[in-house]
Amino acid sequence: MSPTEPQTISEAISGDHKSLDGYADRIRSSTSLEDKTKWRNQLTWALARHAISEELTMYPAMEKHLGEEGVHLTNTDREQHQAVKEDLYRLQSLSPSSSEFSPLLDRLMTDLHEHIKHESEEDMPRLEGKLSREESQDLARSFERTKMITPTRSHPSAPNRPYFENFAAMLAAPIDRFKDLVLAFPDKEELPEKHRSML
């Protein structure tokens, strides 16, 4: 991909995955409670938005273009997302000073990596095989736009299928964004370029 060419959906998803790993690494490597908390907030913000955006854009595209195989794959993805959302729900309000925090972060990242492996080995090759480069780029743009209107916290009891999820997201997003106003986050300069403009 050239610097000016739009990303494909695989590139957009993969870029997010790398950022999420980076945020978890920053939590682990930070030495102060304040910094660990900022990076926990950043991980929560990015992962919640990423998961819901996948469910609202990529999963319907998989079901449309891959038929029954896409339905089967997205059912597996939704189960994996549920485990990640439940871990994230607990982590998002747990102090990094808690003895439960590090094991929970490790479990979250293990669950997330299981899902990432499934996406990179199963979902993305099959979906990209059915899409033209332009269709994939359009889907990536939709994925990125959707992140701007989704909740910024984990809500594991919310519906995870379009139209019901859309409605639940519209209700939760403003409340989450209001809560974000009082939370500490890393300085913009510490974030990947693509996340700086979304704060």
Side-chain angles (χ1 to χ4, degrees):
M1 180 181 86
S2 74
T4 58
E5 187 174 3
Q7 295 183 91
T8 64
I9 188 63
S10 294
E11 292 162 347
I13 299 281
S14 176
D16 272 11
H17 292 162
K18 288 176 186 159
S19 294
L20 295 168
D21 277 334
Y23 300 151
D25 290 344
R26 291 297 295 264
I27 294 169
R28 291 180 181 114
S29 66
S30 293
T31 55
S32 74
L33 178 60
E34 178 184 5
D35 286 343
K36 285 181 181 292
T37 302
K38 287 178 183 180
W39 287 106
R40 179 212 57 199
N41 294 343
Q42 182 64 32
L43 176 65
T44 299
W45 180 86
L47 181 51
R49 294 167 60 250
H50 172 88
I52 294 170
S53 294
E54 280 186 348
E55 291 167 2
L56 293 175
T57 59
M58 191 177 93
Y59 295 178
M62 288 174 58
E63 291 170 356
K64 175 183 174 184
H65 294 284
L66 300 173
E68 279 303 311
E69 180 184 30
V71 171
H72 173 73
L73 289 168
T74 60
N75 285 340
T76 299
D77 289 322
R78 285 185 176 97
E79 289 173 14
Q80 292 170 344
H81 267 194
Q82 189 62 31
V84 168
K85 287 178 182 180
E86 288 172 7
D87 293 341
L88 186 60
Y89 181 76
R90 289 192 53 226
L91 188 82
Q92 69 193 13
S93 58
L94 189 63
S95 172
S97 65
S98 168
S99 62
E100 298 173 40
F101 186 86
S102 288
L104 181 57
L105 176 62
D106 291 342
R107 186 171 76 218
L108 167 67
M109 296 310 293
T110 297
D111 290 344
L112 181 60
H113 285 135
E114 178 183 327
H115 174 65
I116 289 170
K117 182 177 182 199
H118 175 73
E119 276 186 347
S120 63
E121 293 178 1
E122 304 288 334
D123 298 350
M124 300 317 303
R126 285 177 171 83
L127 181 59
E128 292 285 15
K130 296 288 186 178
L131 301 175
S132 69
R133 182 155 186 89
E134 293 77 24
E135 288 171 324
S136 182
Q137 290 168 337
D138 287 344
L139 186 56
R141 279 189 288 275
S142 180
F143 170 75
E144 294 296 342
R145 279 192 307 264
T146 301
K147 287 194 293 187
M148 294 186 175
I149 61 167
T150 60
T152 59
R153 299 268 175 290
S154 181
H155 300 279
S157 60
N160 65 0
R161 296 193 182 267
Y163 307 114
F164 298 112
E165 185 170 29
N166 298 33
F167 182 69
M170 293 296 182
L171 294 175
I175 295 166
D176 287 354
R177 292 185 191 281
F178 182 74
K179 289 178 181 178
D180 289 345
L181 295 174
V182 298
L183 293 177
F185 284 89
D187 293 333
K188 284 187 178 185
E189 298 75 36
E190 297 177 273
L191 299 173
E193 185 70 35
K194 72 184 250 179
H195 287 171
R196 291 179 192 175
S197 62
M198 293 183 188
L199 287 177

PDB file of all heavy atoms in Angstrom, residues 113-138:
ATOM      1  N   HIS A 113      -5.966 -12.401  21.296  1.00  0.00           N
ATOM      2  CA  HIS A 113      -5.067 -13.008  20.310  1.00  0.00           C
ATOM      3  C   HIS A 113      -5.681 -14.252  19.666  1.00  0.00           C
ATOM      4  O   HIS A 113      -5.416 -14.533  18.484  1.00  0.00           O
ATOM      5  CB  HIS A 113      -3.702 -13.306  20.920  1.00  0.00           C
ATOM      6  CG  HIS A 113      -2.897 -12.070  21.104  1.00  0.00           C
ATOM      7  ND1 HIS A 113      -2.199 -11.811  22.249  1.00  0.00           N
ATOM      8  CD2 HIS A 113      -2.700 -10.994  20.303  1.00  0.00           C
ATOM      9  CE1 HIS A 113      -1.594 -10.638  22.140  1.00  0.00           C
ATOM     10  NE2 HIS A 113      -1.894 -10.121  20.967  1.00  0.00           N
ATOM     11  N   GLU A 114      -6.480 -14.991  20.409  1.00  0.00           N
ATOM     12  CA  GLU A 114      -7.200 -16.124  19.821  1.00  0.00           C
ATOM     13  C   GLU A 114      -8.130 -15.610  18.714  1.00  0.00           C
ATOM     14  O   GLU A 114      -8.210 -16.186  17.628  1.00  0.00           O
ATOM     15  CB  GLU A 114      -8.000 -16.861  20.898  1.00  0.00           C
ATOM     16  CG  GLU A 114      -8.815 -18.022  20.356  1.00  0.00           C
ATOM     17  CD  GLU A 114      -9.646 -18.685  21.440  1.00  0.00           C
ATOM     18  OE1 GLU A 114      -9.225 -18.734  22.605  1.00  0.00           O
ATOM     19  OE2 GLU A 114     -10.747 -19.168  21.096  1.00  0.00           O
ATOM     20  N   HIS A 115      -8.817 -14.525  19.000  1.00  0.00           N
ATOM     21  CA  HIS A 115      -9.720 -13.930  18.008  1.00  0.00           C
ATOM     22  C   HIS A 115      -8.941 -13.370  16.812  1.00  0.00           C
ATOM     23  O   HIS A 115      -9.325 -13.570  15.656  1.00  0.00           O
ATOM     24  CB  HIS A 115     -10.555 -12.824  18.664  1.00  0.00           C
ATOM     25  CG  HIS A 115     -11.387 -12.064  17.703  1.00  0.00           C
ATOM     26  ND1 HIS A 115     -12.421 -12.635  16.996  1.00  0.00           N
ATOM     27  CD2 HIS A 115     -11.322 -10.767  17.305  1.00  0.00           C
ATOM     28  CE1 HIS A 115     -12.969 -11.721  16.209  1.00  0.00           C
ATOM     29  NE2 HIS A 115     -12.317 -10.593  16.373  1.00  0.00           N
ATOM     30  N   ILE A 116      -7.843 -12.685  17.082  1.00  0.00           N
ATOM     31  CA  ILE A 116      -7.023 -12.114  16.006  1.00  0.00           C
ATOM     32  C   ILE A 116      -6.516 -13.225  15.081  1.00  0.00           C
ATOM     33  O   ILE A 116      -6.525 -13.082  13.852  1.00  0.00           O
ATOM     34  CB  ILE A 116      -5.845 -11.300  16.592  1.00  0.00           C
ATOM     35  CG1 ILE A 116      -6.367 -10.007  17.222  1.00  0.00           C
ATOM     36  CG2 ILE A 116      -4.787 -11.016  15.537  1.00  0.00           C
ATOM     37  CD1 ILE A 116      -5.328  -9.241  18.041  1.00  0.00           C
ATOM     38  N   LYS A 117      -6.097 -14.324  15.656  1.00  0.00           N
ATOM     39  CA  LYS A 117      -5.614 -15.458  14.847  1.00  0.00           C
ATOM     40  C   LYS A 117      -6.735 -15.967  13.942  1.00  0.00           C
ATOM     41  O   LYS A 117      -6.520 -16.218  12.751  1.00  0.00           O
ATOM     42  CB  LYS A 117      -5.091 -16.568  15.759  1.00  0.00           C
ATOM     43  CG  LYS A 117      -4.542 -17.739  14.999  1.00  0.00           C
ATOM     44  CD  LYS A 117      -3.968 -18.800  15.926  1.00  0.00           C
ATOM     45  CE  LYS A 117      -3.382 -19.917  15.067  1.00  0.00           C
ATOM     46  NZ  LYS A 117      -3.217 -21.146  15.782  1.00  0.00           N
ATOM     47  N   HIS A 118      -7.925 -16.106  14.503  1.00  0.00           N
ATOM     48  CA  HIS A 118      -9.070 -16.564  13.710  1.00  0.00           C
ATOM     49  C   HIS A 118      -9.366 -15.580  12.574  1.00  0.00           C
ATOM     50  O   HIS A 118      -9.582 -16.001  11.425  1.00  0.00           O
ATOM     51  CB  HIS A 118     -10.295 -16.721  14.615  1.00  0.00           C
ATOM     52  CG  HIS A 118     -11.552 -17.066  13.884  1.00  0.00           C
ATOM     53  ND1 HIS A 118     -11.793 -18.304  13.350  1.00  0.00           N
ATOM     54  CD2 HIS A 118     -12.633 -16.318  13.585  1.00  0.00           C
ATOM     55  CE1 HIS A 118     -12.975 -18.316  12.756  1.00  0.00           C
ATOM     56  NE2 HIS A 118     -13.505 -17.116  12.885  1.00  0.00           N
ATOM     57  N   GLU A 119      -9.351 -14.313  12.879  1.00  0.00           N
ATOM     58  CA  GLU A 119      -9.612 -13.302  11.837  1.00  0.00           C
ATOM     59  C   GLU A 119      -8.554 -13.327  10.743  1.00  0.00           C
ATOM     60  O   GLU A 119      -8.886 -13.288   9.559  1.00  0.00           O
ATOM     61  CB  GLU A 119      -9.661 -11.901  12.447  1.00  0.00           C
ATOM     62  CG  GLU A 119     -10.975 -11.536  13.027  1.00  0.00           C
ATOM     63  CD  GLU A 119     -11.054 -10.104  13.484  1.00  0.00           C
ATOM     64  OE1 GLU A 119     -10.015  -9.418  13.588  1.00  0.00           O
ATOM     65  OE2 GLU A 119     -12.178  -9.669  13.736  1.00  0.00           O
ATOM     66  N   SER A 120      -7.293 -13.365  11.148  1.00  0.00           N
ATOM     67  CA  SER A 120      -6.219 -13.269  10.150  1.00  0.00           C
ATOM     68  C   SER A 120      -6.069 -14.542   9.324  1.00  0.00           C
ATOM     69  O   SER A 120      -5.684 -14.478   8.159  1.00  0.00           O
ATOM     70  CB  SER A 120      -4.895 -12.896  10.815  1.00  0.00           C
ATOM     71  OG  SER A 120      -4.488 -13.892  11.710  1.00  0.00           O
ATOM     72  N   GLU A 121      -6.389 -15.698   9.908  1.00  0.00           N
ATOM     73  CA  GLU A 121      -6.229 -16.962   9.176  1.00  0.00           C
ATOM     74  C   GLU A 121      -7.498 -17.424   8.470  1.00  0.00           C
ATOM     75  O   GLU A 121      -7.422 -18.134   7.474  1.00  0.00           O
ATOM     76  CB  GLU A 121      -5.755 -18.065  10.128  1.00  0.00           C
ATOM     77  CG  GLU A 121      -4.355 -17.821  10.651  1.00  0.00           C
ATOM     78  CD  GLU A 121      -3.892 -18.881  11.642  1.00  0.00           C
ATOM     79  OE1 GLU A 121      -4.662 -19.843  11.911  1.00  0.00           O
ATOM     80  OE2 GLU A 121      -2.765 -18.746  12.154  1.00  0.00           O
ATOM     81  N   GLU A 122      -8.650 -17.040   8.995  1.00  0.00           N
ATOM     82  CA  GLU A 122      -9.924 -17.525   8.451  1.00  0.00           C
ATOM     83  C   GLU A 122     -10.733 -16.415   7.778  1.00  0.00           C
ATOM     84  O   GLU A 122     -11.054 -16.503   6.594  1.00  0.00           O
ATOM     85  CB  GLU A 122     -10.768 -18.175   9.561  1.00  0.00           C
ATOM     86  CG  GLU A 122     -10.086 -19.288  10.309  1.00  0.00           C
ATOM     87  CD  GLU A 122      -9.923 -20.553   9.491  1.00  0.00           C
ATOM     88  OE1 GLU A 122     -10.721 -20.770   8.560  1.00  0.00           O
ATOM     89  OE2 GLU A 122      -8.991 -21.327   9.777  1.00  0.00           O
ATOM     90  N   ASP A 123     -11.075 -15.394   8.557  1.00  0.00           N
ATOM     91  CA  ASP A 123     -12.019 -14.375   8.075  1.00  0.00           C
ATOM     92  C   ASP A 123     -11.464 -13.516   6.944  1.00  0.00           C
ATOM     93  O   ASP A 123     -12.071 -13.407   5.876  1.00  0.00           O
ATOM     94  CB  ASP A 123     -12.417 -13.421   9.217  1.00  0.00           C
ATOM     95  CG  ASP A 123     -13.134 -14.100  10.352  1.00  0.00           C
ATOM     96  OD1 ASP A 123     -13.518 -15.281  10.215  1.00  0.00           O
ATOM     97  OD2 ASP A 123     -13.320 -13.444  11.394  1.00  0.00           O
ATOM     98  N   MET A 124     -10.349 -12.879   7.210  1.00  0.00           N
ATOM     99  CA  MET A 124      -9.854 -11.882   6.267  1.00  0.00           C
ATOM    100  C   MET A 124      -9.460 -12.484   4.913  1.00  0.00           C
ATOM    101  O   MET A 124      -9.833 -11.910   3.882  1.00  0.00           O
ATOM    102  CB  MET A 124      -8.690 -11.087   6.868  1.00  0.00           C
ATOM    103  CG  MET A 124      -9.043 -10.317   8.138  1.00  0.00           C
ATOM    104  SD  MET A 124     -10.628  -9.430   8.149  1.00  0.00           S
ATOM    105  CE  MET A 124     -10.475  -8.367   6.769  1.00  0.00           C
ATOM    106  N   PRO A 125      -8.755 -13.612   4.858  1.00  0.00           N
ATOM    107  CA  PRO A 125      -8.436 -14.164   3.536  1.00  0.00           C
ATOM    108  C   PRO A 125      -9.695 -14.510   2.722  1.00  0.00           C
ATOM    109  O   PRO A 125      -9.748 -14.249   1.523  1.00  0.00           O
ATOM    110  CB  PRO A 125      -7.620 -15.422   3.851  1.00  0.00           C
ATOM    111  CG  PRO A 125      -7.073 -15.203   5.222  1.00  0.00           C
ATOM    112  CD  PRO A 125      -8.103 -14.379   5.939  1.00  0.00           C
ATOM    113  N   ARG A 126     -10.689 -15.069   3.401  1.00  0.00           N
ATOM    114  CA  ARG A 126     -11.917 -15.435   2.682  1.00  0.00           C
ATOM    115  C   ARG A 126     -12.661 -14.180   2.210  1.00  0.00           C
ATOM    116  O   ARG A 126     -13.118 -14.126   1.065  1.00  0.00           O
ATOM    117  CB  ARG A 126     -12.813 -16.284   3.573  1.00  0.00           C
ATOM    118  CG  ARG A 126     -12.308 -17.706   3.735  1.00  0.00           C
ATOM    119  CD  ARG A 126     -13.208 -18.492   4.686  1.00  0.00           C
ATOM    120  NE  ARG A 126     -12.890 -19.896   4.702  1.00  0.00           N
ATOM    121  CZ  ARG A 126     -11.935 -20.454   5.422  1.00  0.00           C
ATOM    122  NH1 ARG A 126     -11.170 -19.711   6.189  1.00  0.00           N
ATOM    123  NH2 ARG A 126     -11.720 -21.755   5.384  1.00  0.00           N
ATOM    124  N   LEU A 127     -12.792 -13.191   3.091  1.00  0.00           N
ATOM    125  CA  LEU A 127     -13.520 -11.977   2.706  1.00  0.00           C
ATOM    126  C   LEU A 127     -12.780 -11.217   1.617  1.00  0.00           C
ATOM    127  O   LEU A 127     -13.375 -10.815   0.612  1.00  0.00           O
ATOM    128  CB  LEU A 127     -13.746 -11.074   3.929  1.00  0.00           C
ATOM    129  CG  LEU A 127     -14.509  -9.780   3.646  1.00  0.00           C
ATOM    130  CD1 LEU A 127     -15.899 -10.061   3.071  1.00  0.00           C
ATOM    131  CD2 LEU A 127     -14.610  -8.942   4.918  1.00  0.00           C
ATOM    132  N   GLU A 128     -11.480 -11.028   1.784  1.00  0.00           N
ATOM    133  CA  GLU A 128     -10.701 -10.301   0.771  1.00  0.00           C
ATOM    134  C   GLU A 128     -10.743 -11.021  -0.582  1.00  0.00           C
ATOM    135  O   GLU A 128     -10.702 -10.378  -1.632  1.00  0.00           O
ATOM    136  CB  GLU A 128      -9.248 -10.107   1.222  1.00  0.00           C
ATOM    137  CG  GLU A 128      -9.063  -9.166   2.393  1.00  0.00           C
ATOM    138  CD  GLU A 128      -9.201  -7.686   2.067  1.00  0.00           C
ATOM    139  OE1 GLU A 128      -9.714  -7.324   0.991  1.00  0.00           O
ATOM    140  OE2 GLU A 128      -8.787  -6.880   2.922  1.00  0.00           O
ATOM    141  N   GLY A 129     -10.869 -12.346  -0.551  1.00  0.00           N
ATOM    142  CA  GLY A 129     -10.964 -13.110  -1.787  1.00  0.00           C
ATOM    143  C   GLY A 129     -12.240 -12.847  -2.566  1.00  0.00           C
ATOM    144  O   GLY A 129     -12.307 -13.109  -3.767  1.00  0.00           O
ATOM    145  N   LYS A 130     -13.251 -12.334  -1.882  1.00  0.00           N
ATOM    146  CA  LYS A 130     -14.537 -12.048  -2.527  1.00  0.00           C
ATOM    147  C   LYS A 130     -14.697 -10.575  -2.897  1.00  0.00           C
ATOM    148  O   LYS A 130     -15.627 -10.215  -3.623  1.00  0.00           O
ATOM    149  CB  LYS A 130     -15.692 -12.446  -1.596  1.00  0.00           C
ATOM    150  CG  LYS A 130     -15.774 -13.918  -1.301  1.00  0.00           C
ATOM    151  CD  LYS A 130     -16.263 -14.684  -2.501  1.00  0.00           C
ATOM    152  CE  LYS A 130     -16.482 -16.144  -2.165  1.00  0.00           C
ATOM    153  NZ  LYS A 130     -16.994 -16.908  -3.283  1.00  0.00           N
ATOM    154  N   LEU A 131     -13.829  -9.719  -2.360  1.00  0.00           N
ATOM    155  CA  LEU A 131     -13.964  -8.280  -2.583  1.00  0.00           C
ATOM    156  C   LEU A 131     -12.922  -7.775  -3.571  1.00  0.00           C
ATOM    157  O   LEU A 131     -11.794  -8.258  -3.582  1.00  0.00           O
ATOM    158  CB  LEU A 131     -13.766  -7.511  -1.264  1.00  0.00           C
ATOM    159  CG  LEU A 131     -14.708  -7.811  -0.100  1.00  0.00           C
ATOM    160  CD1 LEU A 131     -14.272  -7.034   1.134  1.00  0.00           C
ATOM    161  CD2 LEU A 131     -16.143  -7.494  -0.467  1.00  0.00           C
ATOM    162  N   SER A 132     -13.302  -6.788  -4.369  1.00  0.00           N
ATOM    163  CA  SER A 132     -12.291  -6.074  -5.152  1.00  0.00           C
ATOM    164  C   SER A 132     -11.511  -5.181  -4.189  1.00  0.00           C
ATOM    165  O   SER A 132     -11.945  -4.942  -3.054  1.00  0.00           O
ATOM    166  CB  SER A 132     -12.959  -5.220  -6.231  1.00  0.00           C
ATOM    167  OG  SER A 132     -13.666  -4.144  -5.633  1.00  0.00           O
ATOM    168  N   ARG A 133     -10.376  -4.684  -4.621  1.00  0.00           N
ATOM    169  CA  ARG A 133      -9.597  -3.777  -3.766  1.00  0.00           C
ATOM    170  C   ARG A 133     -10.440  -2.552  -3.396  1.00  0.00           C
ATOM    171  O   ARG A 133     -10.426  -2.103  -2.255  1.00  0.00           O
ATOM    172  CB  ARG A 133      -8.301  -3.354  -4.457  1.00  0.00           C
ATOM    173  CG  ARG A 133      -7.449  -2.454  -3.556  1.00  0.00           C
ATOM    174  CD  ARG A 133      -5.984  -2.507  -3.914  1.00  0.00           C
ATOM    175  NE  ARG A 133      -5.206  -1.750  -2.961  1.00  0.00           N
ATOM    176  CZ  ARG A 133      -4.684  -2.228  -1.842  1.00  0.00           C
ATOM    177  NH1 ARG A 133      -4.856  -3.489  -1.517  1.00  0.00           N
ATOM    178  NH2 ARG A 133      -3.979  -1.465  -1.031  1.00  0.00           N
ATOM    179  N   GLU A 134     -11.192  -2.023  -4.332  1.00  0.00           N
ATOM    180  CA  GLU A 134     -12.030  -0.842  -4.081  1.00  0.00           C
ATOM    181  C   GLU A 134     -13.127  -1.162  -3.065  1.00  0.00           C
ATOM    182  O   GLU A 134     -13.406  -0.347  -2.176  1.00  0.00           O
ATOM    183  CB  GLU A 134     -12.650  -0.325  -5.384  1.00  0.00           C
ATOM    184  CG  GLU A 134     -11.649   0.238  -6.370  1.00  0.00           C
ATOM    185  CD  GLU A 134     -10.858  -0.840  -7.134  1.00  0.00           C
ATOM    186  OE1 GLU A 134     -11.344  -1.996  -7.267  1.00  0.00           O
ATOM    187  OE2 GLU A 134      -9.730  -0.538  -7.580  1.00  0.00           O
ATOM    188  N   GLU A 135     -13.742  -2.331  -3.163  1.00  0.00           N
ATOM    189  CA  GLU A 135     -14.774  -2.717  -2.193  1.00  0.00           C
ATOM    190  C   GLU A 135     -14.164  -2.869  -0.804  1.00  0.00           C
ATOM    191  O   GLU A 135     -14.762  -2.473   0.198  1.00  0.00           O
ATOM    192  CB  GLU A 135     -15.434  -4.029  -2.618  1.00  0.00           C
ATOM    193  CG  GLU A 135     -16.334  -3.909  -3.817  1.00  0.00           C
ATOM    194  CD  GLU A 135     -16.792  -5.260  -4.345  1.00  0.00           C
ATOM    195  OE1 GLU A 135     -15.992  -6.239  -4.314  1.00  0.00           O
ATOM    196  OE2 GLU A 135     -17.947  -5.328  -4.802  1.00  0.00           O
ATOM    197  N   SER A 136     -12.970  -3.448  -0.743  1.00  0.00           N
ATOM    198  CA  SER A 136     -12.281  -3.614   0.534  1.00  0.00           C
ATOM    199  C   SER A 136     -11.934  -2.251   1.142  1.00  0.00           C
ATOM    200  O   SER A 136     -12.076  -2.039   2.352  1.00  0.00           O
ATOM    201  CB  SER A 136     -11.023  -4.459   0.340  1.00  0.00           C
ATOM    202  OG  SER A 136     -10.375  -4.665   1.564  1.00  0.00           O
ATOM    203  N   GLN A 137     -11.493  -1.327   0.313  1.00  0.00           N
ATOM    204  CA  GLN A 137     -11.182   0.028   0.793  1.00  0.00           C
ATOM    205  C   GLN A 137     -12.447   0.742   1.274  1.00  0.00           C
ATOM    206  O   GLN A 137     -12.423   1.439   2.289  1.00  0.00           O
ATOM    207  CB  GLN A 137     -10.497   0.830  -0.318  1.00  0.00           C
ATOM    208  CG  GLN A 137      -9.098   0.338  -0.609  1.00  0.00           C
ATOM    209  CD  GLN A 137      -8.508   0.912  -1.888  1.00  0.00           C
ATOM    210  OE1 GLN A 137      -9.219   1.346  -2.797  1.00  0.00           O
ATOM    211  NE2 GLN A 137      -7.174   0.919  -1.969  1.00  0.00           N
ATOM    212  N   ASP A 138     -13.556   0.555   0.562  1.00  0.00           N
ATOM    213  CA  ASP A 138     -14.833   1.146   0.997  1.00  0.00           C
ATOM    214  C   ASP A 138     -15.255   0.582   2.347  1.00  0.00           C
ATOM    215  O   ASP A 138     -15.719   1.313   3.223  1.00  0.00           O
ATOM    216  CB  ASP A 138     -15.937   0.890  -0.030  1.00  0.00           C
ATOM    217  CG  ASP A 138     -15.794   1.730  -1.287  1.00  0.00           C
ATOM    218  OD1 ASP A 138     -15.029   2.733  -1.270  1.00  0.00           O
ATOM    219  OD2 ASP A 138     -16.447   1.378  -2.296  1.00  0.00           O
TER     220      ASP A 138
END
